DNA sequence: ATCTATTCCGTACGGCGTACCAAAAAGTTA
DNA sequence: TAACTTTTTGGTACGCCGTACGGAATAGAT
Protein backbone atom coordinates (compact mmCIF):
# COMPACT_ATOMS: atom_id res chain seq x y z
CA UNK A 1 0.00 0.00 0.00
CA UNK A 2 1.64 3.21 -1.18
CA UNK A 3 1.77 6.21 1.12
CA UNK A 4 0.42 9.62 0.26
CA UNK A 5 2.35 11.32 -2.53
CA UNK A 6 4.70 14.05 -1.48
CA UNK A 7 2.85 17.40 -1.58
CA UNK A 8 5.99 19.35 -2.36
CA UNK A 9 6.15 17.72 -5.78
CA UNK A 10 3.12 19.73 -6.93
CA UNK A 11 4.87 22.88 -5.93
CA UNK A 12 8.17 21.98 -7.55
CA UNK A 13 6.50 21.21 -10.84
CA UNK A 14 4.08 24.13 -10.48
CA UNK A 15 1.17 21.79 -10.84
CA UNK A 16 -2.00 23.45 -9.57
CA UNK A 17 -3.69 20.49 -7.98
CA UNK A 18 -7.21 19.59 -9.02
CA UNK A 19 -8.55 22.97 -10.15
CA UNK A 20 -8.60 22.75 -13.94
CA UNK A 21 -8.96 26.43 -14.78
CA UNK A 22 -11.31 29.33 -14.28
CA UNK A 23 -11.51 31.85 -11.43
CA UNK A 24 -11.21 30.45 -7.92
CA UNK A 25 -12.77 31.76 -4.79
CA UNK A 26 -11.14 33.96 -2.21
CA UNK A 27 -8.69 36.75 -2.30
CA UNK A 28 -6.16 36.78 -5.14
CA UNK A 29 -2.47 36.32 -4.52
CA UNK A 30 -0.52 39.45 -5.36
CA UNK A 31 2.54 37.52 -6.51
CA UNK A 32 3.48 34.21 -8.02
CA UNK A 33 5.59 31.47 -6.50
CA UNK A 34 8.26 32.32 -9.04
CA UNK A 35 8.30 35.92 -7.86
CA UNK A 36 8.97 34.69 -4.34
CA UNK A 37 11.62 32.20 -5.38
CA UNK A 38 13.39 34.66 -7.64
CA UNK A 39 13.53 37.27 -4.91
CA UNK A 40 14.89 34.68 -2.51
CA UNK A 41 17.58 33.72 -5.01
CA UNK A 42 18.52 37.36 -5.45
CA UNK A 43 18.96 37.81 -1.71
CA UNK A 44 20.91 34.56 -1.30
CA UNK A 45 23.19 35.46 -4.21
CA UNK A 46 24.06 38.67 -2.42
CA UNK A 47 24.10 37.69 1.26
CA UNK A 48 24.26 33.92 1.38
CA UNK A 49 21.81 31.58 3.00
CA UNK A 50 22.38 33.09 6.42
CA UNK A 51 21.23 36.45 5.08
CA UNK A 52 17.97 35.03 3.79
CA UNK A 53 15.31 35.16 6.47
CA UNK A 54 11.63 34.74 5.91
CA UNK A 55 10.94 38.16 7.40
CA UNK A 56 13.47 39.88 5.19
CA UNK A 57 12.21 38.14 2.09
CA UNK A 58 8.64 39.07 2.92
CA UNK A 59 9.54 42.71 3.47
CA UNK A 60 11.52 42.69 0.25
CA UNK A 61 8.39 41.53 -1.56
CA UNK A 62 6.13 44.04 0.20
CA UNK A 63 4.39 41.34 2.20
CA UNK A 64 3.85 40.67 5.87
CA UNK A 65 6.05 37.95 7.24
CA UNK A 66 3.36 35.33 7.48
CA UNK A 67 1.94 35.91 4.02
CA UNK A 68 4.92 34.09 2.59
CA UNK A 69 3.50 30.90 3.99
CA UNK A 70 0.63 30.99 1.53
CA UNK A 71 3.16 30.65 -1.26
CA UNK A 72 5.51 28.17 0.36
CA UNK A 73 4.99 25.75 3.26
CA UNK A 74 8.22 26.67 5.02
CA UNK A 75 11.80 27.69 4.64
CA UNK A 76 13.15 24.27 3.72
CA UNK A 77 10.66 23.96 0.90
CA UNK A 78 11.60 27.45 -0.27
CA UNK A 79 15.21 26.35 -0.43
CA UNK A 80 14.22 23.30 -2.46
CA UNK A 81 12.37 25.56 -4.88
CA UNK A 82 15.35 27.89 -5.10
CA UNK A 83 17.69 25.04 -5.94
CA UNK A 84 15.47 23.68 -8.65
CA UNK A 85 14.74 27.06 -10.14
CA UNK A 86 18.43 28.01 -10.16
CA UNK A 87 19.13 24.80 -12.04
CA UNK A 88 16.23 25.38 -14.37
CA UNK A 89 16.89 28.99 -15.28
CA UNK A 90 20.25 28.27 -16.85
CA UNK A 91 20.06 27.39 -20.49
CA UNK A 92 22.04 24.32 -21.35
CA UNK A 93 24.42 24.57 -24.30
CA UNK A 94 24.47 21.98 -27.06
CA UNK A 95 26.85 19.10 -26.47
CA UNK A 96 30.00 19.24 -28.59
CA UNK A 97 31.13 16.28 -30.71
CA UNK A 98 34.25 15.39 -28.79
CA UNK A 99 33.64 13.28 -25.68
CA UNK A 100 36.30 14.94 -23.51
CA UNK A 101 34.82 18.28 -24.48
CA UNK A 102 31.42 17.08 -23.39
CA UNK A 103 32.80 16.07 -20.00
CA UNK A 104 34.53 19.40 -19.64
CA UNK A 105 31.34 21.19 -20.55
CA UNK A 106 29.37 19.34 -17.88
CA UNK A 107 31.97 20.50 -15.38
CA UNK A 108 32.13 24.03 -16.70
CA UNK A 109 28.38 24.59 -16.52
CA UNK A 110 28.41 23.36 -12.94
CA UNK A 111 31.33 25.62 -12.18
CA UNK A 112 29.70 28.74 -13.53
CA UNK A 113 26.50 27.95 -11.76
CA UNK A 114 28.17 27.56 -8.38
CA UNK A 115 30.02 30.82 -8.92
CA UNK A 116 26.74 32.51 -9.64
CA UNK A 117 24.83 30.92 -6.76
CA UNK A 118 27.35 30.13 -4.01
CA UNK A 119 24.57 29.32 -1.57
CA UNK A 120 23.96 26.09 -3.48
CA UNK A 121 26.96 24.71 -1.62
CA UNK A 122 25.67 25.88 1.73
CA UNK A 123 22.59 23.69 1.45
CA UNK A 124 23.58 20.42 3.01
CA UNK A 125 21.00 18.93 5.33
CA UNK A 126 18.27 19.18 2.76
CA UNK A 127 16.41 16.51 0.88
CA UNK A 128 17.14 15.93 -2.79
CA UNK A 129 13.84 16.84 -4.40
CA UNK A 130 13.03 15.80 -7.93
CA UNK A 131 12.04 18.97 -9.74
CA UNK A 132 11.99 20.03 -13.35
CA UNK A 133 15.25 21.93 -13.08
CA UNK A 134 17.15 19.03 -11.57
CA UNK A 135 15.59 16.62 -14.02
CA UNK A 136 16.40 18.74 -17.06
CA UNK A 137 19.93 19.15 -15.84
CA UNK A 138 20.45 15.45 -15.15
CA UNK A 139 19.00 14.54 -18.52
CA UNK A 140 21.32 17.02 -20.20
CA UNK A 141 24.36 15.73 -18.33
CA UNK A 142 23.53 12.15 -19.26
CA UNK A 143 23.01 13.11 -22.88
CA UNK A 144 26.69 13.99 -22.99
CA UNK A 145 27.63 10.49 -21.90
CA UNK A 146 25.07 8.38 -23.77
CA UNK A 147 26.31 5.83 -26.24
CA UNK A 148 29.98 5.97 -25.36
CA UNK A 149 30.10 2.50 -23.83
CA UNK A 150 29.33 3.23 -20.20
CA UNK A 151 26.55 1.28 -18.54
CA UNK A 152 23.80 3.10 -16.71
CA UNK A 153 25.41 3.02 -13.32
CA UNK A 154 28.71 4.19 -14.70
CA UNK A 155 26.97 7.08 -16.42
CA UNK A 156 25.45 8.17 -13.13
CA UNK A 157 28.76 7.82 -11.35
CA UNK A 158 30.54 9.79 -14.03
CA UNK A 159 28.13 12.67 -13.68
CA UNK A 160 28.55 12.50 -9.90
CA UNK A 161 32.31 12.44 -10.26
CA UNK A 162 32.44 15.49 -12.52
CA UNK A 163 30.00 17.64 -10.61
CA UNK A 164 31.24 16.51 -7.22
CA UNK A 165 34.74 17.55 -8.12
CA UNK A 166 33.59 20.94 -9.29
CA UNK A 167 31.68 21.39 -6.07
CA UNK A 168 34.74 20.75 -3.97
CA UNK A 169 36.85 23.16 -6.02
CA UNK A 170 34.35 25.97 -5.67
CA UNK A 171 33.89 25.25 -1.99
CA UNK A 172 37.63 25.59 -1.45
CA UNK A 173 37.64 28.87 -3.33
CA UNK A 174 34.81 30.16 -1.26
CA UNK A 175 36.49 29.25 1.97
CA UNK A 176 39.40 31.42 0.88
CA UNK A 177 37.05 34.26 0.02
CA UNK A 178 35.35 33.80 3.38
CA UNK A 179 38.68 33.96 5.18
CA UNK A 180 39.54 37.19 3.44
CA UNK A 181 36.15 38.68 4.18
CA UNK A 182 36.06 37.91 7.89
CA UNK A 183 39.72 38.56 8.62
CA UNK A 184 39.89 41.66 6.43
CA UNK A 185 43.24 40.46 5.14
CA UNK A 186 44.29 38.79 1.95
CA UNK A 187 45.82 35.35 2.30
CA UNK A 188 49.29 36.82 1.91
CA UNK A 189 48.64 39.51 4.50
CA UNK A 190 47.26 36.99 6.95
CA UNK A 191 50.30 34.76 6.72
CA UNK A 192 52.58 37.75 7.05
CA UNK A 193 50.72 38.99 10.11
CA UNK A 194 50.66 35.56 11.75
CA UNK A 195 54.03 34.12 10.77
CA UNK A 196 55.71 35.00 14.07
CA UNK A 197 52.73 33.89 16.08
CA UNK A 198 52.65 30.57 14.26
CA UNK A 199 56.31 30.02 15.02
CA UNK A 200 55.68 30.62 18.71
CA UNK A 201 52.58 28.56 18.88
CA UNK A 202 53.76 25.56 16.91
CA UNK A 203 56.54 25.30 19.45
CA UNK A 204 58.93 22.96 17.78
CA UNK A 205 56.55 20.94 15.70
CA UNK A 206 57.88 20.88 12.17
CA UNK A 207 55.88 20.69 8.98
CA UNK A 208 58.51 20.45 6.27
CA UNK A 209 56.20 19.44 3.45
CA UNK A 210 53.15 21.37 4.54
CA UNK A 211 55.21 24.51 4.95
CA UNK A 212 56.86 24.26 1.57
CA UNK A 213 53.81 23.13 -0.39
CA UNK A 214 51.40 25.38 1.42
CA UNK A 215 53.50 28.42 0.67
CA UNK A 216 53.82 27.51 -3.00
CA UNK A 217 50.12 26.79 -3.33
CA UNK A 218 49.22 29.98 -1.52
CA UNK A 219 51.30 32.09 -3.83
CA UNK A 220 49.97 30.37 -6.92
CA UNK A 221 46.34 30.82 -5.95
CA UNK A 222 47.07 34.36 -4.97
CA UNK A 223 48.49 35.11 -8.37
CA UNK A 224 45.79 33.35 -10.29
CA UNK A 225 43.85 36.07 -12.03
CA UNK A 226 41.45 33.59 -13.51
CA UNK A 227 40.11 31.42 -10.70
CA UNK A 228 38.97 28.82 -13.24
CA UNK A 229 42.60 27.80 -13.57
CA UNK A 230 42.44 26.14 -10.20
CA UNK A 231 40.07 23.63 -11.70
CA UNK A 232 42.16 22.65 -14.68
CA UNK A 233 44.53 20.17 -13.07
CA UNK A 234 41.94 18.00 -11.39
CA UNK A 235 39.52 18.13 -14.28
CA UNK A 236 42.21 17.10 -16.75
CA UNK A 237 43.18 14.12 -14.60
CA UNK A 238 39.57 13.05 -14.15
CA UNK A 239 38.81 13.26 -17.84
CA UNK A 240 42.00 11.35 -18.62
CA UNK A 241 41.02 8.62 -16.22
CA UNK A 242 37.50 8.43 -17.59
CA UNK A 243 38.66 8.39 -21.22
CA UNK A 244 41.16 5.62 -20.71
CA UNK A 245 38.52 3.58 -18.91
CA UNK A 246 36.10 4.05 -21.79
CA UNK A 247 38.73 3.25 -24.38
CA UNK A 248 39.80 0.09 -22.56
CA UNK A 249 36.20 -0.97 -22.35
CA UNK A 250 35.58 -0.38 -26.03
CA UNK A 251 38.74 -2.30 -26.91
CA UNK A 252 37.66 -5.24 -24.77
CA UNK A 253 34.26 -5.40 -26.46
CA UNK A 254 35.66 -5.40 -29.95
CA UNK B 1 52.93 46.92 9.34
CA UNK B 2 51.48 43.59 10.33
CA UNK B 3 48.13 43.41 12.09
CA UNK B 4 47.55 41.79 15.44
CA UNK B 5 47.98 38.02 15.33
CA UNK B 6 44.83 35.98 15.32
CA UNK B 7 43.87 35.13 18.93
CA UNK B 8 42.18 31.90 17.93
CA UNK B 9 45.55 30.44 16.98
CA UNK B 10 46.56 30.27 20.64
CA UNK B 11 43.44 28.30 21.37
CA UNK B 12 43.83 25.95 18.43
CA UNK B 13 47.36 25.08 19.41
CA UNK B 14 46.49 25.04 23.13
CA UNK B 15 49.14 27.64 23.77
CA UNK B 16 48.56 29.30 27.15
CA UNK B 17 49.60 32.82 26.36
CA UNK B 18 52.20 34.55 28.49
CA UNK B 19 51.79 32.74 31.79
CA UNK B 20 54.70 30.33 31.94
CA UNK B 21 53.55 28.05 34.73
CA UNK B 22 52.59 28.08 38.41
CA UNK B 23 49.21 28.74 40.00
CA UNK B 24 47.20 31.58 38.57
CA UNK B 25 44.76 33.80 40.38
CA UNK B 26 41.04 33.49 40.41
CA UNK B 27 38.63 30.65 40.43
CA UNK B 28 39.74 27.42 38.75
CA UNK B 29 38.10 26.10 35.61
CA UNK B 30 36.28 22.87 36.29
CA UNK B 31 36.98 21.48 32.84
CA UNK B 32 39.53 21.70 30.07
CA UNK B 33 39.01 23.00 26.55
CA UNK B 34 39.40 19.44 25.33
CA UNK B 35 36.58 18.31 27.59
CA UNK B 36 34.35 20.91 26.01
CA UNK B 37 35.39 20.11 22.46
CA UNK B 38 35.08 16.37 22.95
CA UNK B 39 31.59 16.73 24.38
CA UNK B 40 30.64 18.95 21.45
CA UNK B 41 31.94 16.36 19.00
CA UNK B 42 29.98 13.64 20.76
CA UNK B 43 26.78 15.63 20.42
CA UNK B 44 27.41 16.56 16.81
CA UNK B 45 28.21 12.97 15.91
CA UNK B 46 24.82 11.97 17.24
CA UNK B 47 22.56 14.89 16.30
CA UNK B 48 24.40 16.86 13.67
CA UNK B 49 25.41 20.49 13.83
CA UNK B 50 21.82 21.64 14.13
CA UNK B 51 21.49 19.62 17.32
CA UNK B 52 24.50 21.26 18.90
CA UNK B 53 23.50 24.40 20.75
CA UNK B 54 25.59 26.25 23.26
CA UNK B 55 22.92 25.82 25.91
CA UNK B 56 22.65 22.08 25.36
CA UNK B 57 26.40 21.61 25.39
CA UNK B 58 26.71 23.60 28.59
CA UNK B 59 24.00 21.57 30.29
CA UNK B 60 25.63 18.38 29.07
CA UNK B 61 28.83 19.48 30.77
CA UNK B 62 27.07 20.56 33.95
CA UNK B 63 27.73 24.23 33.29
CA UNK B 64 25.53 27.28 32.95
CA UNK B 65 25.12 28.46 29.42
CA UNK B 66 27.39 31.44 29.68
CA UNK B 67 30.23 29.61 31.39
CA UNK B 68 31.08 28.01 28.08
CA UNK B 69 32.29 31.36 26.90
CA UNK B 70 35.22 31.25 29.28
CA UNK B 71 36.48 28.20 27.40
CA UNK B 72 35.68 29.31 23.89
CA UNK B 73 35.01 32.77 22.47
CA UNK B 74 31.91 31.71 20.54
CA UNK B 75 30.21 29.01 18.58
CA UNK B 76 32.19 29.47 15.37
CA UNK B 77 35.45 29.11 17.24
CA UNK B 78 34.10 26.00 18.94
CA UNK B 79 33.38 24.54 15.53
CA UNK B 80 36.91 25.34 14.41
CA UNK B 81 38.26 23.54 17.47
CA UNK B 82 36.01 20.59 16.80
CA UNK B 83 37.22 20.28 13.23
CA UNK B 84 40.85 20.42 14.18
CA UNK B 85 40.45 18.01 17.07
CA UNK B 86 38.51 15.54 14.96
CA UNK B 87 41.34 15.62 12.44
CA UNK B 88 43.94 15.32 15.15
CA UNK B 89 42.44 12.45 17.10
CA UNK B 90 42.67 9.99 14.24
CA UNK B 91 45.94 8.18 14.04
CA UNK B 92 47.42 8.18 10.59
CA UNK B 93 48.54 4.83 9.17
CA UNK B 94 51.96 4.38 7.62
CA UNK B 95 52.12 5.05 3.91
CA UNK B 96 52.39 1.89 1.79
CA UNK B 97 55.06 1.49 -0.85
CA UNK B 98 52.88 1.53 -3.90
CA UNK B 99 51.92 5.03 -5.09
CA UNK B 100 48.36 4.16 -6.13
CA UNK B 101 47.90 2.53 -2.74
CA UNK B 102 49.06 5.70 -1.09
CA UNK B 103 46.51 7.73 -3.01
CA UNK B 104 43.79 5.26 -2.14
CA UNK B 105 44.80 5.43 1.51
CA UNK B 106 44.55 9.20 1.57
CA UNK B 107 41.04 8.85 0.22
CA UNK B 108 40.10 6.01 2.54
CA UNK B 109 41.15 7.85 5.68
CA UNK B 110 39.11 10.84 4.60
CA UNK B 111 36.19 8.57 3.86
CA UNK B 112 36.20 6.90 7.23
CA UNK B 113 36.53 10.20 8.98
CA UNK B 114 33.55 11.73 7.23
CA UNK B 115 31.49 8.67 8.06
CA UNK B 116 32.44 9.05 11.68
CA UNK B 117 31.88 12.81 11.83
CA UNK B 118 29.24 13.69 9.24
CA UNK B 119 28.95 17.20 10.61
CA UNK B 120 32.32 18.00 9.05
CA UNK B 121 30.47 18.33 5.76
CA UNK B 122 27.85 20.61 7.25
CA UNK B 123 30.43 23.23 8.12
CA UNK B 124 30.61 25.44 5.09
CA UNK B 125 30.70 29.13 5.82
CA UNK B 126 33.58 28.78 8.23
CA UNK B 127 37.13 29.96 8.02
CA UNK B 128 39.91 27.45 7.37
CA UNK B 129 41.93 27.68 10.55
CA UNK B 130 45.46 26.35 10.75
CA UNK B 131 45.52 24.02 13.71
CA UNK B 132 47.70 21.10 14.73
CA UNK B 133 45.20 18.50 13.54
CA UNK B 134 44.85 20.04 10.10
CA UNK B 135 48.59 20.55 9.84
CA UNK B 136 49.41 16.98 10.83
CA UNK B 137 46.87 15.70 8.37
CA UNK B 138 48.11 17.84 5.49
CA UNK B 139 51.70 16.87 6.21
CA UNK B 140 50.72 13.21 6.24
CA UNK B 141 48.80 13.52 2.98
CA UNK B 142 51.71 15.25 1.30
CA UNK B 143 54.13 12.62 2.60
CA UNK B 144 52.29 10.13 0.43
CA UNK B 145 52.95 12.21 -2.67
CA UNK B 146 56.46 13.46 -2.02
CA UNK B 147 59.17 12.54 -4.46
CA UNK B 148 57.00 11.10 -7.17
CA UNK B 149 57.65 13.87 -9.66
CA UNK B 150 54.85 16.30 -8.86
CA UNK B 151 55.74 19.90 -8.19
CA UNK B 152 54.49 21.61 -5.05
CA UNK B 153 51.35 23.02 -6.57
CA UNK B 154 50.47 19.74 -8.18
CA UNK B 155 50.92 17.99 -4.84
CA UNK B 156 48.47 20.38 -3.23
CA UNK B 157 46.01 19.98 -6.05
CA UNK B 158 46.28 16.21 -5.89
CA UNK B 159 45.43 16.20 -2.22
CA UNK B 160 42.54 18.53 -2.90
CA UNK B 161 41.34 16.33 -5.73
CA UNK B 162 41.35 13.16 -3.65
CA UNK B 163 39.77 14.56 -0.53
CA UNK B 164 37.33 16.73 -2.46
CA UNK B 165 36.08 13.73 -4.33
CA UNK B 166 35.60 11.76 -1.14
CA UNK B 167 33.70 14.66 0.36
CA UNK B 168 31.27 14.75 -2.52
CA UNK B 169 30.69 11.00 -2.35
CA UNK B 170 29.92 11.07 1.34
CA UNK B 171 27.73 14.11 0.95
CA UNK B 172 25.68 12.31 -1.68
CA UNK B 173 25.33 9.31 0.63
CA UNK B 174 24.21 11.50 3.45
CA UNK B 175 21.62 13.22 1.34
CA UNK B 176 20.11 9.80 0.67
CA UNK B 177 20.16 8.98 4.35
CA UNK B 178 18.55 12.33 5.09
CA UNK B 179 15.81 11.66 2.55
CA UNK B 180 15.04 8.36 4.16
CA UNK B 181 15.04 9.84 7.63
CA UNK B 182 12.72 12.76 6.92
CA UNK B 183 10.37 10.95 4.57
CA UNK B 184 10.30 7.78 6.61
CA UNK B 185 10.55 5.79 3.42
CA UNK B 186 13.41 4.00 1.75
CA UNK B 187 14.37 5.25 -1.68
CA UNK B 188 12.53 2.35 -3.28
CA UNK B 189 9.41 3.00 -1.21
CA UNK B 190 9.48 6.69 -2.02
CA UNK B 191 9.64 6.11 -5.74
CA UNK B 192 6.89 3.52 -5.50
CA UNK B 193 4.68 5.88 -3.51
CA UNK B 194 5.31 8.81 -5.85
CA UNK B 195 5.48 7.15 -9.24
CA UNK B 196 1.89 7.97 -10.17
CA UNK B 197 2.15 11.48 -8.81
CA UNK B 198 5.31 12.08 -10.81
CA UNK B 199 3.58 10.92 -13.96
CA UNK B 200 0.77 13.39 -13.36
CA UNK B 201 2.96 16.24 -12.39
CA UNK B 202 5.56 15.92 -15.11
CA UNK B 203 2.70 16.23 -17.56
CA UNK B 204 4.23 15.04 -20.75
CA UNK B 205 7.81 16.04 -20.16
CA UNK B 206 9.95 13.05 -20.95
CA UNK B 207 13.24 12.11 -19.38
CA UNK B 208 14.36 9.04 -21.30
CA UNK B 209 17.91 8.93 -20.03
CA UNK B 210 17.29 10.24 -16.54
CA UNK B 211 14.48 7.76 -16.06
CA UNK B 212 16.47 4.80 -17.23
CA UNK B 213 19.75 5.70 -15.55
CA UNK B 214 18.17 6.99 -12.38
CA UNK B 215 16.28 3.75 -11.92
CA UNK B 216 19.37 1.64 -12.49
CA UNK B 217 21.47 3.77 -10.16
CA UNK B 218 18.78 3.75 -7.50
CA UNK B 219 18.56 -0.03 -7.53
CA UNK B 220 22.31 -0.43 -7.45
CA UNK B 221 22.77 1.88 -4.49
CA UNK B 222 19.88 0.23 -2.75
CA UNK B 223 21.50 -3.16 -3.09
CA UNK B 224 24.93 -2.00 -2.08
CA UNK B 225 25.59 -3.55 1.29
CA UNK B 226 28.96 -1.90 1.53
CA UNK B 227 28.53 1.82 0.93
CA UNK B 228 32.26 2.11 0.28
CA UNK B 229 31.64 0.52 -3.11
CA UNK B 230 30.04 3.73 -4.31
CA UNK B 231 33.43 5.31 -4.08
CA UNK B 232 35.34 2.75 -6.07
CA UNK B 233 34.51 3.85 -9.58
CA UNK B 234 35.42 7.49 -9.19
CA UNK B 235 38.47 6.83 -7.10
CA UNK B 236 39.80 4.32 -9.61
CA UNK B 237 39.38 6.81 -12.45
CA UNK B 238 41.04 9.59 -10.50
CA UNK B 239 44.00 7.45 -9.52
CA UNK B 240 44.33 6.25 -13.11
CA UNK B 241 44.38 9.81 -14.35
CA UNK B 242 46.89 10.89 -11.75
CA UNK B 243 49.18 7.92 -12.38
CA UNK B 244 49.26 8.40 -16.12
CA UNK B 245 50.05 12.07 -15.63
CA UNK B 246 52.91 11.22 -13.30
CA UNK B 247 54.24 8.53 -15.62
CA UNK B 248 54.13 10.85 -18.62
CA UNK B 249 55.96 13.46 -16.64
CA UNK B 250 58.65 11.05 -15.53
CA UNK B 251 59.07 9.81 -19.11
CA UNK B 252 59.47 13.36 -20.37
CA UNK B 253 62.17 14.11 -17.81
CA UNK B 254 64.21 11.06 -18.63
C1' DA C 1 -26.93 40.37 0.41
C1' DT C 2 -25.07 36.35 2.27
C1' DC C 3 -21.92 32.62 2.35
C1' DT C 4 -17.54 30.55 1.70
C1' DA C 5 -12.90 30.16 0.42
C1' DT C 6 -8.61 32.30 0.38
C1' DT C 7 -5.02 35.68 1.30
C1' DC C 8 -3.09 38.88 4.27
C1' DC C 9 -0.82 40.12 8.48
C1' DG C 10 -0.30 41.34 13.70
C1' DT C 11 0.78 38.87 17.72
C1' DA C 12 3.11 35.50 20.14
C1' DC C 13 5.95 31.26 21.42
C1' DG C 14 9.99 28.79 21.92
C1' DG C 15 14.74 28.52 20.56
C1' DC C 16 19.08 30.48 19.19
C1' DG C 17 23.85 33.06 20.07
C1' DT C 18 25.60 35.98 23.25
C1' DA C 19 26.15 40.85 25.89
C1' DC C 20 26.05 42.25 30.49
C1' DC C 21 26.54 41.92 35.38
C1' DA C 22 26.58 40.37 40.01
C1' DA C 23 27.96 36.53 42.89
C1' DA C 24 31.33 32.99 44.08
C1' DA C 25 35.94 31.23 44.49
C1' DA C 26 40.74 31.21 44.23
C1' DG C 27 45.48 33.32 44.80
C1' DT C 28 48.07 37.56 46.53
C1' DT C 29 49.10 40.88 49.71
C1' DA C 30 48.92 43.32 54.20
C1' DT D 1 43.44 36.65 59.45
C1' DA D 2 41.57 40.24 56.46
C1' DA D 3 41.39 42.90 52.39
C1' DC D 4 42.21 43.02 47.54
C1' DT D 5 42.51 41.25 42.81
C1' DT D 6 41.52 38.15 39.27
C1' DT D 7 38.89 34.70 37.18
C1' DT D 8 34.91 31.57 36.68
C1' DT D 9 30.23 31.04 37.12
C1' DG D 10 25.47 31.53 35.78
C1' DG D 11 20.99 34.36 35.81
C1' DT D 12 18.72 37.74 33.09
C1' DA D 13 17.85 39.84 28.91
C1' DC D 14 18.17 41.43 23.91
C1' DG D 15 17.50 40.78 19.25
C1' DC D 16 17.24 37.55 15.93
C1' DC D 17 15.03 33.25 13.86
C1' DG D 18 11.05 29.97 11.94
C1' DT D 19 6.42 29.60 12.33
C1' DA D 20 1.55 28.50 14.91
C1' DC D 21 -2.64 30.91 15.45
C1' DG D 22 -6.51 33.74 14.59
C1' DG D 23 -8.87 37.73 12.98
C1' DA D 24 -9.51 41.07 9.12
C1' DA D 25 -9.86 41.81 4.23
C1' DT D 26 -11.20 40.38 -0.32
C1' DA D 27 -12.69 37.62 -3.90
C1' DG D 28 -16.25 34.48 -6.36
C1' DA D 29 -20.56 31.63 -5.64
C1' DT D 30 -25.18 31.52 -4.14
Amino acid sequence: MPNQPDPVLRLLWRHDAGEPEGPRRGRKQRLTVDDVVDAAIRIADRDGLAGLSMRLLATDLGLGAMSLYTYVPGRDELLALMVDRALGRRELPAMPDDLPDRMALIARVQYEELQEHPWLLEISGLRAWVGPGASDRYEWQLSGLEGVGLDDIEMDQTVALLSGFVGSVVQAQQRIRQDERTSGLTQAEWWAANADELDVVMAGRAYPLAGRVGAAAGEAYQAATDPAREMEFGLARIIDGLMSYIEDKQAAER
Side-chain angles (χ1 to χ4, degrees), chain A residues 97-178:
Chain A
D97 289 337
D98 212 30
L99 178 55
D101 289 349
R102 297 208 293 275
M103 293 176 174
L105 181 62
I106 292 172
R108 196 170 57 74
V109 165
Q110 194 89 356
Y111 183 82
E112 286 171 9
E113 182 150 81
L114 293 178
Q115 296 289 343
E116 215 170 314
H117 305 301
W119 47 269
L120 285 169
L121 286 169
E122 292 184 64
I123 295 179
S124 64
L126 213 64
R127 298 192 50 182
W129 294 105
V130 181
S135 300
D136 288 352
R137 176 63 55 89
Y138 188 45
E139 183 77 17
W140 175 81
Q141 290 169 326
L142 291 174
S143 78
L145 302 172
E146 172 73 345
V148 303
L150 295 173
D151 67 33
D152 287 351
I153 292 166
E154 288 168 343
M155 286 174 71
D156 179 74
Q157 286 172 327
T158 300
V159 168
L161 174 53
L162 288 169
S163 55
F165 164 68
V166 173
S168 77
V169 167
V170 176
Q171 195 151 30
Q173 274 179 213
Q174 282 178 197
R175 209 188 315 272
I176 292 175
R177 239 173 268 165
Q178 175 69 20

Side-chain angles (χ1 to χ4, degrees), chain A residues 70-88:
Chain A
T70 62
Y71 295 85
V72 154
R75 189 174 190 261
D76 281 357
E77 290 80 2
L78 171 65
L79 294 179
L81 290 170
M82 289 167 64
V83 171
D84 201 77
R85 182 146 174 88
L87 292 173

